[in-house]
Amino acid sequence: AYCVLPDGTVLNAELIKEGCGYAYLSFPHTESALYETLMEQAIAEKRGLWAHAARDDLPRWLRDKRPDLLRYP
């Protein structure tokens, strides 16, 4: 489900963009590519939960789907 705020902001995207959540990659949906890109940007900029994340901190499903994440510093 997508949560759209009264101003048109999609809360799902904002949470991922700010590093407050993961892009869920197990089931493709219309915003999958965008959410994955937003997550990659948050990782690169070390925003939110990505500021001090280690590979072992990631949920197993995310490590399985994206074995490259946080593989290298």
Side-chain angles (χ1 to χ4, degrees):
Y2 302 105
C3 180
V4 181
L5 302 177
D7 68 356
T9 300
V10 180
L11 182 60
N12 314 58
E14 285 299 309
L15 290 171
I16 296 167
K17 177 180 167 186
E18 295 303 320
C20 297
Y22 308 106
Y24 192 65
L25 308 174
S26 292
F27 301 101
H29 53 86
T30 58
E31 300 299 325
S32 293
L34 171 63
Y35 289 3
E36 191 165 7
T37 297
L38 292 173
M39 182 174 73
E40 289 171 0
Q41 290 171 348
I43 292 168
E45 296 174 12
K46 299 188 182 299
R47 280 190 249 131
L49 61 89
W50 300 107
H52 303 287
R55 181 157 176 75
D56 290 340
D57 296 331
L58 300 177
R60 183 167 191 84
W61 64 263
L62 186 53
R63 289 189 313 240
D64 291 346
K65 286 286 183 184
R66 288 289 308 273
D68 60 310
L69 285 182
L70 303 179
R71 180 71 64 189
Y72 307 103

